[in-house]
Coordinates of all heavy atoms in Angstrom, one line a residue:
P128 N -27.5 24.3 65.4 CA -28.0 23.7 66.6 C -28.4 24.8 67.7 O -29.1 24.4 68.7 CB -26.8 22.9 67.1 CG -25.6 23.8 66.6 CD -26.1 24.4 65.3
T129 N -28.0 26.0 67.6 CA -28.0 26.9 68.8 C -29.3 27.0 69.4 O -29.4 26.8 70.8 CB -27.6 28.4 68.2 OG1 -26.6 28.3 67.3 CG2 -27.3 29.3 69.4
H130 N -30.4 27.1 68.8 CA -31.8 27.4 69.5 C -32.4 26.1 70.0 O -33.3 26.1 70.7 CB -32.7 28.0 68.3 CG -32.8 27.3 67.1 ND1 -31.8 27.1 66.3 CD2 -33.9 26.6 66.5 CE1 -32.2 26.3 65.2 NE2 -33.3 26.1 65.4
Q131 N -31.6 25.0 69.6 CA -32.2 23.6 70.1 C -31.2 22.9 71.1 O -31.3 21.7 71.3 CB -32.5 22.8 68.9 CG -33.5 23.4 68.1 CD -34.2 22.2 67.2 OE1 -34.4 21.1 67.6 NE2 -34.5 22.6 66.0
L132 N -30.3 23.8 71.7 CA -29.3 23.2 72.5 C -29.7 22.4 73.8 O -29.2 21.4 74.0 CB -28.3 24.4 72.9 CG -27.1 24.7 72.1 CD1 -26.4 25.8 72.5 CD2 -26.2 23.5 72.1
P133 N -30.8 22.9 74.4 CA -31.2 22.0 75.6 C -31.6 20.6 75.2 O -31.1 19.7 75.8 CB -32.4 22.9 76.2 CG -32.2 24.3 75.7 CD -31.6 24.2 74.3
A134 N -32.3 20.5 74.2 CA -32.7 19.1 73.8 C -31.6 18.3 73.3 O -31.4 17.2 73.5 CB -33.8 19.3 72.6
I135 N -30.7 19.1 72.4 CA -29.5 18.4 71.9 C -28.6 17.9 73.1 O -28.1 16.8 72.9 CB -28.7 19.5 71.0 CG1 -29.5 19.6 69.7 CG2 -27.2 19.0 70.8 CD1 -28.9 20.8 68.9
L136 N -28.4 18.6 74.1 CA -27.5 18.1 75.2 C -28.3 17.0 76.0 O -27.5 16.1 76.4 CB -27.1 19.3 76.1 CG -26.3 20.4 75.3 CD1 -25.9 21.4 76.3 CD2 -25.1 19.7 74.6
K137 N -29.5 17.2 76.2 CA -30.2 16.1 77.0 C -30.1 14.8 76.2 O -29.9 13.7 76.8 CB -31.7 16.5 77.1 CG -31.8 17.5 78.2 CD -33.4 17.7 78.5 CE -33.6 19.0 79.0 NZ -35.0 19.3 79.1
A138 N -30.3 14.9 74.9 CA -30.2 13.7 74.0 C -28.7 13.1 74.1 O -28.5 11.8 74.1 CB -30.6 13.9 72.5
L139 N -27.8 14.0 74.2 CA -26.4 13.6 74.2 C -26.1 12.8 75.5 O -25.4 11.7 75.5 CB -25.5 14.8 74.2 CG -24.0 14.6 74.2 CD1 -23.5 13.6 73.1 CD2 -23.1 15.8 74.2
L140 N -26.7 13.3 76.6 CA -26.6 12.5 77.9 C -27.2 11.1 77.8 O -26.6 10.2 78.2 CB -27.3 13.4 79.0 CG -27.1 12.9 80.4 CD1 -25.7 12.9 80.9 CD2 -28.0 13.6 81.4
I141 N -28.4 11.0 77.2 CA -29.0 9.7 77.1 C -28.1 8.8 76.2 O -27.9 7.6 76.5 CB -30.4 9.9 76.4 CG1 -31.3 10.6 77.2 CG2 -31.0 8.5 76.1 CD1 -32.6 11.1 76.5
A142 N -27.6 9.4 75.0 CA -26.9 8.5 74.1 C -25.6 8.2 74.7 O -25.0 7.0 74.4 CB -26.7 9.3 72.7
S143 N -24.8 9.1 75.4 CA -23.6 8.8 76.0 C -23.7 7.6 77.0 O -22.8 6.9 77.2 CB -22.8 9.9 76.4 OG -23.6 10.5 77.6
D144 N -24.8 7.5 77.7 CA -25.0 6.5 78.6 C -25.3 5.2 77.9 O -25.1 4.0 78.6 CB -26.2 6.8 79.5 CG -26.0 7.8 80.6 OD1 -24.9 8.0 80.9 OD2 -27.0 8.4 81.2
T145 N -25.5 5.2 76.6 CA -25.9 4.0 75.9 C -25.0 3.7 74.7 O -25.3 3.2 73.7 CB -27.4 3.9 75.4 OG1 -27.6 5.2 74.9 CG2 -28.3 3.6 76.5
G146 N -23.7 4.2 75.0 CA -22.6 3.8 73.9 C -22.1 4.8 72.9 O -21.2 4.5 72.1
L147 N -22.7 6.1 72.9 CA -22.1 7.0 71.9 C -20.8 7.3 72.2 O -20.4 7.6 73.4 CB -22.9 8.3 72.0 CG -22.7 9.2 70.8 CD1 -23.3 8.8 69.4 CD2 -23.3 10.6 71.1
H148 N -19.9 7.3 71.3 CA -18.4 7.6 71.5 C -17.7 8.4 70.3 O -16.6 8.4 70.3 CB -17.7 6.3 71.8 CG -17.8 5.3 70.7 ND1 -18.7 4.2 70.6 CD2 -17.0 5.2 69.6 CE1 -18.4 3.6 69.5 NE2 -17.5 4.2 68.8
I149 N -18.5 9.0 69.6 CA -17.9 9.8 68.4 C -18.0 11.2 68.6 O -18.8 11.7 69.4 CB -18.5 9.3 66.9 CG1 -20.0 9.4 66.9 CG2 -18.0 8.0 66.7 CD1 -20.6 9.2 65.6
P150 N -17.1 12.1 68.0 CA -16.9 13.5 68.3 C -18.3 14.3 67.9 O -19.0 13.7 66.9 CB -15.8 14.0 67.4 CG -15.0 12.8 67.1 CD -16.0 11.6 67.1
I151 N -18.6 15.3 68.6 CA -19.6 16.2 68.2 C -19.1 17.4 67.4 O -18.3 18.1 67.8 CB -20.4 16.6 69.5 CG1 -20.8 15.5 70.4 CG2 -21.4 17.6 69.1 CD1 -22.0 14.6 69.7
V152 N -19.7 17.6 66.4 CA -19.5 18.9 65.4 C -20.6 19.9 65.6 O -21.8 19.6 65.4 CB -19.3 18.5 64.0 CG1 -19.0 19.7 63.1 CG2 -18.4 17.3 63.7
Y153 N -20.2 21.1 65.9 CA -21.1 22.2 66.1 C -21.1 23.1 64.9 O -20.1 23.8 64.7 CB -20.8 23.0 67.4 CG -21.8 23.9 67.9 CD1 -22.8 23.6 68.7 CD2 -21.8 25.2 67.5 CE1 -23.7 24.4 69.2 CE2 -22.8 26.2 68.0 CZ -23.7 25.8 68.8 OH -24.6 26.6 69.4
N154 N -22.0 22.8 64.0 CA -21.9 23.5 62.5 C -23.0 24.7 62.6 O -24.2 24.6 62.5 CB -22.5 22.3 61.6 CG -22.5 22.8 60.2 OD1 -22.4 23.8 59.9 ND2 -22.5 21.7 59.4
T155 N -22.5 25.8 62.6 CA -23.2 27.0 62.9 C -23.0 28.2 61.9 O -21.9 28.2 61.3 CB -23.0 27.5 64.4 OG1 -23.4 28.9 64.5 CG2 -21.5 27.5 64.7
G156 N -23.9 29.1 61.8 CA -23.7 30.2 61.0 C -22.9 31.3 61.7 O -22.5 32.4 61.1
G157 N -22.4 31.1 62.9 CA -21.4 31.9 63.5 C -22.1 33.0 64.4 O -21.3 33.8 65.0
Y158 N -23.4 33.1 64.5 CA -24.1 34.1 65.3 C -24.4 33.5 66.6 O -25.4 32.9 66.8 CB -25.3 34.5 64.5 CG -26.0 35.7 65.1 CD1 -25.3 37.0 65.1 CD2 -27.4 35.7 65.5 CE1 -25.9 38.0 65.7 CE2 -27.9 36.9 66.0 CZ -27.2 38.0 66.1 OH -27.9 39.1 66.5
E159 N -23.3 33.5 67.5 CA -23.4 32.7 68.8 C -23.1 33.7 69.9 O -22.2 34.6 69.8 CB -22.4 31.6 68.7 CG -22.5 30.7 67.7 CD -23.6 29.7 68.0 OE1 -24.1 29.5 69.2 OE2 -24.2 29.1 67.0
D160 N -24.0 33.5 71.0 CA -23.6 34.2 72.2 C -22.4 33.5 72.9 O -22.5 32.4 73.2 CB -24.8 34.1 73.2 CG -24.7 35.1 74.3 OD1 -23.7 35.0 75.0 OD2 -25.7 35.8 74.7
P161 N -21.3 34.3 73.1 CA -20.2 33.7 73.9 C -20.4 33.1 75.3 O -19.8 32.2 75.6 CB -19.2 34.8 74.0 CG -19.6 35.8 72.8 CD -21.1 35.7 72.8
D162 N -21.4 33.7 75.9 CA -21.8 33.1 77.2 C -22.4 31.7 77.2 O -22.2 30.8 78.0 CB -22.7 34.0 78.1 CG -22.0 35.4 78.5 OD1 -20.8 35.4 78.6 OD2 -22.7 36.4 78.7
T163 N -23.2 31.5 76.1 CA -23.8 30.2 75.9 C -22.7 29.2 75.4 O -22.6 28.2 75.9 CB -24.8 30.3 74.7 OG1 -25.9 31.2 75.1 CG2 -25.3 28.9 74.3
L164 N -21.8 29.8 74.6 CA -20.7 29.0 74.0 C -19.8 28.5 75.2 O -19.3 27.4 75.3 CB -19.8 29.7 73.1 CG -20.2 30.0 71.7 CD1 -19.3 30.8 70.9 CD2 -20.6 28.7 71.0
Q165 N -19.6 29.3 76.3 CA -18.7 28.9 77.4 C -19.3 27.7 78.0 O -18.5 26.9 78.6 CB -18.7 30.1 78.3 CG -17.6 31.1 77.9 CD -17.4 32.2 78.9 OE1 -17.9 32.2 80.1 NE2 -16.8 33.3 78.4
L166 N -20.6 27.5 78.1 CA -21.3 26.4 78.7 C -21.0 25.2 77.9 O -21.4 24.0 78.4 CB -22.7 26.5 78.9 CG -23.0 27.8 79.9 CD1 -24.5 28.2 79.9 CD2 -22.5 27.3 81.3
L167 N -20.5 25.2 76.7 CA -20.3 24.0 75.8 C -18.9 23.6 76.0 O -18.5 22.7 75.3 CB -20.6 24.4 74.3 CG -22.1 24.8 74.1 CD1 -22.3 25.2 72.6 CD2 -23.0 23.7 74.6
E168 N -18.0 24.3 76.7 CA -16.6 23.9 76.8 C -16.4 22.5 77.3 O -17.1 22.2 78.3 CB -15.9 24.8 77.5 CG -14.3 24.7 77.8 CD -13.6 25.7 78.3 OE1 -14.2 26.7 79.0 OE2 -12.3 25.7 78.2
G169 N -15.7 21.8 76.6 CA -15.5 20.3 77.1 C -16.6 19.4 76.5 O -16.3 18.2 76.6
I170 N -17.7 20.0 75.9 CA -18.6 19.1 75.4 C -18.6 18.9 73.9 O -18.7 17.9 73.3 CB -20.0 19.6 75.8 CG1 -20.2 19.6 77.4 CG2 -21.2 18.8 75.2 CD1 -21.4 20.4 77.8
I171 N -18.4 20.1 73.2 CA -18.2 20.2 71.8 C -16.7 19.9 71.4 O -15.8 20.5 72.0 CB -18.6 21.5 71.2 CG1 -20.1 21.8 71.6 CG2 -18.5 21.5 69.7 CD1 -21.2 20.8 71.0
D172 N -16.6 19.0 70.4 CA -15.3 18.7 70.0 C -14.7 19.5 68.9 O -13.6 19.9 68.9 CB -15.2 17.1 69.7 CG -15.7 16.3 70.8 OD1 -14.9 16.2 71.8 OD2 -16.7 15.8 70.7
I173 N -15.6 19.7 67.9 CA -15.3 20.5 66.7 C -16.2 21.6 66.5 O -17.4 21.3 66.4 CB -15.2 19.5 65.5 CG1 -14.3 18.2 65.7 CG2 -15.0 20.2 64.2 CD1 -14.4 17.0 64.9
Y174 N -15.8 22.7 66.4 CA -16.5 23.9 66.0 C -16.4 24.1 64.5 O -15.2 24.2 64.0 CB -16.2 25.1 66.9 CG -16.7 25.2 68.1 CD1 -15.8 25.0 69.2 CD2 -18.1 25.4 68.5 CE1 -16.3 25.0 70.6 CE2 -18.6 25.4 69.8 CZ -17.7 25.2 70.8 OH -18.1 25.3 72.2
M175 N -17.5 24.2 63.9 CA -17.5 24.4 62.4 C -18.4 25.7 62.0 O -19.6 25.5 61.6 CB -17.9 23.1 61.6 CG -17.6 23.2 60.1 SD -17.4 21.5 59.4 CE -19.2 21.0 59.6
P176 N -18.0 26.9 62.4 CA -18.8 28.0 62.1 C -18.6 28.7 60.8 O -17.5 28.6 60.3 CB -18.3 29.0 63.2 CG -16.8 28.6 63.4 CD -16.7 27.1 63.1
D177 N -19.5 29.4 60.3 CA -19.3 30.3 59.2 C -18.8 31.6 59.7 O -19.1 32.0 60.8 CB -20.7 30.6 58.4 CG -21.4 29.4 57.8 OD1 -20.6 28.5 57.3 OD2 -22.6 29.4 57.9
F178 N -18.2 32.4 58.8 CA -18.0 33.8 59.0 C -18.5 34.4 57.7 O -17.9 34.4 56.7 CB -16.5 34.1 59.2 CG -16.3 35.5 59.8 CD1 -15.1 36.0 60.5 CD2 -17.2 36.5 59.7 CE1 -14.9 37.2 60.9 CE2 -17.1 37.8 60.1 CZ -16.0 38.2 60.9
K179 N -19.8 35.1 57.8 CA -20.5 35.4 56.7 C -20.2 36.8 56.2 O -20.1 37.1 55.0 CB -22.0 35.2 56.9 CG -22.5 33.8 57.1 CD -24.0 33.9 57.6 CE -24.4 32.4 57.9 NZ -24.7 31.6 56.7
F180 N -20.3 37.7 57.1 CA -20.4 39.2 56.7 C -19.3 39.9 57.6 O -19.1 39.7 58.8 CB -21.7 39.9 57.0 CG -22.9 39.0 56.6 CD1 -23.8 38.7 57.6 CD2 -23.1 38.7 55.3 CE1 -24.9 37.8 57.2 CE2 -24.3 37.9 55.0 CZ -25.1 37.6 55.9

Side-chain angles (χ1 to χ4, degrees):
T129 317
H130 54 301
Q131 301 201 33
L132 269 172
I135 285 169
L136 296 185
K137 285 186 205 168
L139 181 62
L140 186 64
I141 297 169
S143 64
D144 281 345
T145 42
L147 188 74
H148 60 263
I149 54 178
I151 302 294
V152 181
Y153 193 87
N154 184 340
T155 163
Y158 192 57
E159 298 288 335
D160 186 315
D162 291 336
T163 299
L164 285 178
Q165 279 181 15
L166 294 169
L167 301 177
E168 182 166 12
I170 300 173
I171 300 300
D172 301 290
I173 299 160
Y174 283 106
M175 195 156 69
D177 295 326
F178 194 158
K179 294 172 185 284
F180 319 117

